[in-house]
Amino acid sequence: MALFCAAVGRRFSLDLYGIRTNGVTVIHSSFTATSGARLPLYRHYSSPKSRLGIGLQIVSRLQGANAKYELFLQRYFPRFYVLYHTFTKGIQLLFQDAKEVTVIRTRMLNNSVEVQDLPYRDMEKLRQFRRDMIKAIPLLLISIPPFANYLVFVLMYLFPRQLLIRHFWTPQQQTEFQGLNHSHRAQHHWAVLKGLESAGSHVKDGRLKISLLDLCNKVQSGVHPNISDIQAIRGLFSGAPLSIKRINANQMRQLCPLFFLTPRLPTPMIGTRLNSHAIELLQLDRALSRHGLHQLDDSELRQACYVRGLDSGSLSINQCREWLSQWLQFSSHLKESEVSLLVHSMVLLSANYPKPSHH
């Protein structure tokens, strides 16, 4: 195709020559001005179909190169390949969770739904994702610069439990780290019980005082208490000296590891965080009661017990189900003003389970 344009007044000519090959049109133009200068201009145009084809070819080549790279790592560097595979899969799981959380948040906004009214699985997803993000933000910032992924791999290898979230743990690491984390919080059980016992000595009601001290002695001697033993002291935890905001600073700091919170903060901030996490746990219990314990799969059942203070990895599914059923039977009657009892029960009901009750 050739086009010619002439302009009257000044000598001006424009010639275009277009050649179309393989779906790409190449247009050649020559520009002539009075100065006699000739400036060749080239432009390339591609159809949508051809651009799509080129894009698919690029993606296909990248996938092929990535597959060869993974095969190379798997053959010659098997340990590094495990890290690499865990990292890439973790990224996918993290973005999947982010997408699900966005859907939940959008539905809450459109339907004017409060968090406490969400279905159990949605509420648990939001809770876990928020905790994951708080822990993952430093690592995500490190991985932003070019080639920083290699530094992330080193950190994954050296400090996986401390720096990485569950998305970047291997299945073996998930089991191992959950046991280690529980061992860490279990180290504070004795201090929590002694603090509860010390606070009980200041209770004015003689009957409640005896019930509380007797409960502390039972647990300290290795006895798993009955739900009725805990319900009997319920009235002590809505005010002084055992409500979340009335317990002493040392007791607050001993309770922090139960939620994996740092105790190295000012006392008012610790009290606020403990109260927030305790209310969130109470709302989860209410949502789980509505959802139905029988609808949880084995993984969800173990996770629910673990969140509430139990070392679920060392127990059978039936034991986990029995314990969680007892927990819900107890927590379903609590008010938000009594969440201090819920927090302390993470020790009272988990410290000696599954040892048989003594009467």
Side-chain angles (χ1 to χ4, degrees), residues 339-357:
V339 291
S340 178
L341 178 57
L342 191 74
V343 178
H344 284 88
S345 294
M346 294 176 69
V347 175
L348 295 172
L349 288 175
S350 67
N352 299 317
Y353 190 81
K355 291 183 180 181
S357 301

Side-chain angles (χ1 to χ4, degrees), residues 192 244 247 251-259 274 343-344:
V192 170
I244 285 289
I247 56 178
Q251 184 74 347
M252 284 187 185
R253 287 182 167 81
Q254 296 298 337
L255 291 172
C256 282
L258 302 182
F259 291 108
L274 276 176
V343 178
H344 284 88

Side-chain angles (χ1 to χ4, degrees), residues 222-254:
V223 177
H224 180 65
N226 296 316
I227 296 299
S228 58
D229 295 332
I230 297 178
Q231 289 176 336
I233 59 171
R234 175 181 166 186
L236 291 174
F237 290 82
S238 57
L242 292 172
S243 68
I244 285 289
K245 296 183 179 180
R246 298 290 187 89
I247 56 178
N248 61 58
N250 183 62
Q251 184 74 347
M252 284 187 185
R253 287 182 167 81
Q254 296 298 337

Side-chain angles (χ1 to χ4, degrees), residues 60 112 172 183 203-204 288 290 295 327:
S60 178
S112 300
Q172 295 80 6
S183 297
V203 173
K204 296 180 180 180
L288 182 53
R290 296 192 302 266
Q295 296 195 46
W327 175 278

Side-chain angles (χ1 to χ4, degrees), residues 5 52 75 120 156 164 172 193 206-207 214 237 263 295 332 336:
C5 284
L52 179 61
R75 180 176 299 178
Y120 172 74
M156 287 174 65
L164 301 183
Q172 295 80 6
L193 291 171
R207 182 180 59 84
D214 183 56
F237 290 82
Q295 296 195 46
S332 61
E336 289 190 1

